[in-house]
Amino acid sequence: MPKNAFDPDAGYNGNSNLPLPSSKISLTEAELKEYIKCKNDPFHFINTYVKIVHVDHGIVPFQMWPFQEEIIKAFQENRFVICKLSRQSGKSTVVVCGYFLWYILFHPDVSVGILANKEATAIGLLDRLKQSYELLPRFLKQGILKWDQKLIKLASGARVRAESTSANAVRGDTFNILFLDEFAFVPENIAVDFMTSVFPAISSGKTTKLFIVSTPNGYNLFWKIWNDAEENRNTYKSIGFTWRDVPGRDEAWADIIRKNLGSEQAWEQEFESVVYDTTVTVRDMITQEVETLPIGVLYDRMLSEVPLAGY
């Protein structure tokens, strides 16, 4: 049997790609050096060892694009990050399969929460991380304690949990990092309740982090947090990229997508990350004063008494 091979029957649930906590492995000197290098450098780990399942090409090495590396750098250097990104930009892949996989492998006893507007989406994101884990070389893997649909736990005590974004989904749990995917598509009442309920627990630590990533979806809590970050009214690091930052996409590609979408507004929202400044007319129920103003300004007024994350 090769030096670093192990009995398939000894893997978690018989899966030879998932070593048990009791399995042993002897690292070569070269492997030990690589392990240390990966621990100290998430960029090296991701670009050298992470593989993903590509829709057209199957299993391929994950090579980060420059803007994806900027996202990882922001996560490393900031506690609160909000990313406004276009569709099909690999935003979830770089975070979940790249950064979070590195984080749980090289940080014992940490907890990551992956939340999305739909439970199925959160489970799908965790599935991607699990696939990338199975494709790692053996010397980088930890033993598996739990490998369920919504929760994985490594022998080091590190774990990842997947849930839908709601006020009660993660109540009572503790996390080192919470990741909110497609937060702009969470119903507004749920988004506000979630932030009001969960943010105090995140902010109570000195190193705990909150990452929000989404395509814009009109004026809502995501837009407010983003806009206030841009105006330095909160402590989030804001990062925004569009389809132009994705290598291989040009005006010819954009023209095809525009035509197939059939709506310029849909194109600008989904791929240009534009939020339209629609105006509305409102009447004050007490003074009866009528006023026409941008919907974003109205939204600001409506939420002016609501405590929000990062303020």
Side-chain angles (χ1 to χ4, degrees), residues 7 22 27 34 51 69 89 98 100 103 111 114 124 143 174 192 221 224 229 249 261 273 288 302:
D7 183 0
S22 58
L27 272 63
E34 271 300 292
K51 295 180 180 179
E69 293 191 350
S89 58
F100 289 162
Y103 185 73
S111 183
I114 298 175
T174 56
V192 173
L221 184 54
K224 178 169 179 56
R249 294 184 180 173
L261 276 174
S273 296
Q288 298 301 308
M302 294 169 62

Side-chain angles (χ1 to χ4, degrees), residues 8 37 57 86 116 141 165 170 202 218 238 250:
K37 189 172 183 179
H57 307 295
S86 68
K141 292 180 179 178
T165 306
V170 293
I202 291 293
S238 59
D250 54 20

Side-chain angles (χ1 to χ4, degrees), residues 51-81:
K51 295 180 180 179
I52 59 173
V53 179
H54 190 278
V55 66
D56 293 321
H57 307 295
I59 297 173
V60 297
F62 181 37
Q63 297 296 309
M64 285 190 292
W65 297 320
F67 82 90
Q68 292 175 324
E69 293 191 350
E70 287 190 44
I71 293 173
I72 298 301
K73 186 173 185 290
F75 287 175
Q76 282 284 83
E77 297 177 353
N78 300 274
R79 288 189 62 197
F80 305 107
V81 180

Side-chain angles (χ1 to χ4, degrees), residues 183-199:
F183 191 62
F185 293 84
V186 176
E188 189 65 1
N189 62 317
I190 295 175
V192 173
D193 287 347
F194 174 83
M195 281 298 190
T196 303
S197 171
V198 173
F199 187 76

